[in-house]
Amino acid sequence: MRAVNELRSLIKRYSITVVHGHPFASIVPAFVASQCERLPFVVTLHGPSSINHGYGDTFDLMLKEVLESSQVVSVSKEVSKLANEKFGVESVILPNSVSKTNGEVGVILKYTTQIRWLVASRLDRMKIKGIKKFITLINDEGLGNIDIAGDGDARYSLEQFCASNNYSNVKFLGMIKDVTKIIPKYDWCAGMGRFALESMEAGKPFILVGYDDIVRVMNNIDSVNIAAEVNFSGREMTRQSLVDIRESIASISKTTILNIQREIHENHSEFSVWGSYIKIITCLKYINKPSRLLNTYHYEMKKLSV
């Protein structure tokens, strides 16, 4: 109740014309506030956890009402499909975007001990499994040194893993405020999600590391587009074999990296994605539908006034 009232106050104070909500539970008060003020509501679904959230059946009912009365935006085809299957709603796909830095594509180091790798990731228990496999691969293949940018509750576990295996080539940088500023110092990058986009836009060869395994080397446009369908998470993607990974690292070319960089500029630039978003919200109208959430809010407010 308090969240709804505070949001309504902000809407009035700043003459807000569109309300945009993001997961998880904060979507509900934001939606109710928009309904009170008769404003269009946009909701962005970021990943499968936006749909399969773990909050139970009651929240599912609330989320279904929100989605049916909103402009739904999904960051990938994967999420759009899940939303349609579970809630029967259609969504506009607006992928994650990155700033254009025009990173220079330099000499590509391949099979050498001189490669400087950058991994950037939240270090939680879900992500370090894949990172461990990547660290093991680089050490088994003798492919240089790894810097890891990021922090989380599983950092200590990852540090212990490196220490117990004598992986002295791994350095932990901790939290980096703007990882894009250090990407140019490295030869290759590895990880998932937004960092994949940032690295490839900067002209760096990239290995996609999923939650539980090494997925593949991004060595052609098709691999980038397939990865984009699952927001560069690696979910449901075919894993390259060790032989294929070796071959991809050894054969990747400057032309390939330039083509991938161009693909990122065309489909994931902030300018184009935000331009599409502006077009969407410019045409939005308030959806006047019966709302159990809004009725519940009014009912609770009446109780307070008695």
Side-chain angles (χ1 to χ4, degrees):
M1 298 291 292
R2 184 167 61 186
V4 173
N5 291 336
E6 288 182 1
L7 287 170
R8 292 186 68 185
S9 176
L10 289 171
I11 287 169
K12 292 171 182 175
R13 186 186 312 163
Y14 295 105
S15 301
I16 301 299
T17 57
V18 177
V19 180
H20 193 146
H22 293 262
F24 292 97
S26 60
I27 284 177
V28 175
F31 171 74
V32 173
S34 75
Q35 296 300 290
C36 288
E37 302 305 321
R38 301 182 67 81
L39 294 176
F41 188 73
V42 183
V43 57
T44 293
L45 303 174
H46 293 272
S49 61
S50 298
I51 308 296
N52 302 312
H53 41 72
Y55 289 131
D57 293 340
T58 300
F59 189 79
D60 265 351
L61 290 172
M62 292 190 287
L63 182 57
K64 180 175 175 61
E65 179 182 316
V66 171
L67 297 179
E68 289 178 342
S69 300
S70 309
Q71 171 62 66
V72 183
V73 174
S74 297
V75 300
S76 66
K77 289 183 179 179
E78 173 194 33
V79 177
S80 178
K81 181 181 177 184
L82 287 172
N84 183 261
E85 290 173 347
K86 185 168 183 176
F87 297 110
V89 296
E90 299 295 332
S91 59
V92 174
I93 297 173
L94 288 181
N96 281 330
S97 62
V98 289
S99 300
K100 191 173 181 180
T101 65
N102 293 312
E104 183 179 351
V105 179
V107 176
I108 300 174
L109 298 184
K110 299 177 182 180
Y111 258 80
T112 169
T113 59
Q114 303 304 309
I115 298 177
R116 296 163 301 170
W117 295 86
L118 177 63
V119 174
S121 176
R122 185 175 66 251
L123 302 182
D124 59 33
R125 61 182 180 81
M126 294 180 66
K127 289 189 173 182
I128 66 168
K129 187 175 180 181
I131 295 172
K132 285 179 179 179
K133 290 190 176 182
F134 173 75
I135 292 170
T136 300
L137 170 74
I138 298 307
N139 277 274
D140 287 350
E141 299 294 309
L143 292 179
N145 298 298
I146 306 167
D147 285 358
I148 299 178
D151 213 337
D153 56 12
R155 173 175 169 171
Y156 178 74
S157 173
L158 190 57
E159 289 174 332
Q160 290 297 104
F161 168 79
C162 293
S164 64
N165 286 282
N166 295 315
Y167 291 155
S168 58
N169 63 327
V170 181
K171 180 181 177 183
F172 290 83
L173 304 179
M175 187 63 67
I176 302 294
K177 186 175 181 180
D178 185 356
V179 75
T180 61
K181 287 192 162 89
I182 65 171
I183 289 175
K185 295 166 49 180
Y186 294 88
D187 303 303
W188 282 69
C189 296
M192 67 164 71
R194 184 179 179 82
F195 182 60
L197 286 171
E198 291 169 336
S199 301
M200 291 185 288
E201 192 285 325
K204 299 299 178 183
F206 192 82
I207 293 184
L208 185 62
V209 178
Y211 287 92
D212 58 0
D213 208 351
I214 300 165
V215 181
R216 63 167 299 126
V217 180
M218 297 287 101
N219 63 342
N220 53 54
I221 299 297
D222 286 344
S223 66
V224 174
N225 289 333
I226 291 170
E229 292 183 2
V230 292
N231 200 23
F232 298 94
S233 65
R235 284 184 294 266
E236 307 301 323
M237 289 180 63
T238 301
R239 272 52 175 161
Q240 279 186 320
S241 66
L242 177 57
V243 171
D244 287 339
I245 288 173
R246 285 172 175 162
E247 183 179 319
S248 295
I249 293 173
S251 63
I252 200 161
S253 68
K254 185 172 182 177
T255 299
T256 297
I257 300 303
L258 286 168
N259 288 338
I260 289 174
Q261 186 183 51
R262 192 175 301 114
E263 177 73 14
I264 301 301
H265 287 163
E266 289 178 359
N267 294 313
H268 295 275
S269 74
E270 287 183 334
F271 181 80
S272 62
V273 173
W274 279 104
S276 297
Y277 175 74
I278 294 299
K279 288 179 182 177
I280 291 169
I281 65 171
T282 300
C283 302
L284 282 185
K285 303 292 183 184
Y286 167 68
I287 300 174
N288 188 11
K289 293 177 66 174
S291 170
R292 285 173 292 184
L293 291 171
L294 182 60
N295 290 341
T296 301
Y297 168 78
H298 285 314
Y299 174 76
E300 293 297 329
M301 288 297 290
K302 277 186 180 179
K303 283 170 58 178
L304 290 174
S305 64
V306 173

